[in-house]
Amino acid sequence: MSERCRLRILVVSDQVVEALYSPQAREWLSPIHLILSCGDLPYGYLEFLMELFNAPLFYVHGNHDRPELLSNGRIRHAPEGGQNLDGTVVWEQGLLLSGLAGSRRYHPEGRYQYTEEEMWLRVFRMVPLFLWNQHRYGRAIDLFIAHAPPRWIGDGADLAHQGFSAFRWLIARFRPRYFLHGHLHFHGRRPIIAVGPTLVINVFPYYVLEVEVKNGRAHEQQRSGVRGGHRSVPTGSLPGDASESHRPPDRASQPATGV
């Protein structure tokens, strides 16, 4: 009989939450076993969360992500120590993770912006990875993260905030347990939309997702079989060492901004 456990996953997007940007956050939010970012956040903020909760970080870029100039003159292009999920598949703690960056193209020179046709091509390039997972694990993907939403599923009316039809096809064909996105700010009740067996969740500005998984250690030897990605961040022990020092990260002088 397979052992099962529950993972607590912190998912963030688009807006810095001051309550999380403090060492006290782990006192009321721990344990956090995994951190996911759906983009448009300062890289120093993500590095701080990773250090604070002693948890691996996986991310995709949002349309407002830019290189950050630090006070010491160094340029940071991504959260250091995290792993980019864009266009790849990773096995992590019993879960198959994948993602795609960016929003609809609304500016000719916009970074991490794509036309509908470009996103269809990016999705199709991932199909062999998902088919391999179905063959080996009996499922294509567990958690898929994106910056933009699927088209007509919690997206907006203006071009910049319209979702991608390619994401709707991905959900219908490969049926991930969760499709997590940001990009759209909202007020009031959180948009959580069931599409068949998939829950589409707007995680702005943060959301704690609890997922039941088989004991990840039982699959540790299979990790190398997941094509297109690998885990590069050690999981480590759970947070809780009161004597551990958590130094706030370097603040970028030119941080990324929200939508």
Side-chain angles (χ1 to χ4, degrees):
M1 181 179 296
S2 300
E3 296 181 12
R4 305 190 72 86
C5 62
R6 294 190 69 83
L7 297 181
R8 281 173 56 85
I9 303 171
L10 174 63
V11 197
V12 293
S13 189
D14 293 276
Q15 181 174 291
V16 171
V17 178
E18 291 300 325
L20 295 179
Y21 216 161
S22 167
Q24 283 70 46
R26 67 174 182 170
E27 297 178 6
W28 56 271
L29 205 55
S30 292
I32 293 295
H33 306 101
L34 181 64
I35 301 171
L36 302 175
S37 171
C38 294
D40 277 5
L41 286 170
Y43 303 143
Y45 176 64
L46 298 177
E47 292 171 11
F48 177 77
L49 294 176
M50 182 169 50
E51 180 183 356
L52 179 67
F53 293 108
N54 193 21
L57 166 71
F58 297 88
Y59 65 90
V60 294
H61 285 290
N63 57 294
H64 286 292
D65 283 355
R66 298 289 186 275
E68 297 176 349
L69 177 62
L70 303 179
S71 57
N72 61 5
R74 188 167 59 88
I75 296 178
R76 179 166 46 196
H77 296 275
E80 297 176 355
Q83 183 167 336
N84 192 349
L85 276 181
D86 183 57
T88 190
V89 176
V90 173
W91 178 280
E92 174 65 30
Q93 301 182 56
L95 292 172
L96 290 165
L97 310 177
S98 187
L100 284 169
S103 72
R104 287 290 290 263
R105 182 172 297 282
Y106 57 89
H107 189 281
E109 299 179 359
R111 186 167 185 162
Y112 303 118
Q113 295 180 23
Y114 306 92
T115 65
E116 186 74 78
E117 292 74 18
E118 288 171 336
M119 189 57 75
W120 271 108
L121 180 59
R122 303 185 81 227
V123 168
F124 285 155
R125 286 173 177 166
M126 301 184 71
V127 168
L129 305 179
F130 297 148
L131 293 177
W132 170 256
N133 287 347
Q134 285 182 330
H135 170 72
R136 179 151 192 174
Y137 302 103
R139 64 194 193 278
I141 197 70
D142 294 313
L143 272 66
F144 191 93
I145 67 172
H147 182 61
R151 186 70 172 121
W152 306 116
I153 304 177
D155 59 350
D158 60 308
L159 178 62
H161 294 93
Q162 288 178 8
F164 290 103
S165 298
F167 290 166
R168 290 180 60 110
W169 179 84
L170 186 154
I171 291 170
R173 175 62 179 82
F174 295 107
R175 303 160 68 92
R177 293 170 66 180
Y178 298 95
F179 185 105
L180 309 172
H181 71 89
H183 193 47
L184 278 86
H185 299 197
F186 66 90
H187 301 282
R189 188 174 181 180
R190 178 177 304 281
I192 301 178
I193 302 171
V195 183
T198 301
L199 285 183
V200 178
I201 304 176
N202 183 340
V203 301
F204 166 85
Y206 81 98
Y207 183 73
V208 177
L209 176 68
E210 293 195 2
V211 180
E212 186 177 80
V213 298
K214 292 182 180 180
N215 192 326
R217 286 175 294 184
H219 301 275
E220 197 70 25
Q221 294 180 349
Q222 296 180 342
R223 189 187 302 264
S224 60
V226 180
R227 299 180 179 181
H230 64 279
R231 172 172 163 260
S232 62
V233 184
T235 303
S237 58
L238 293 180
D241 181 3
S243 64
E244 184 178 356
S245 173
H246 291 286
R247 176 184 58 81
D250 296 332
R251 301 297 181 107
S253 59
Q254 297 179 2
T257 56
V259 175

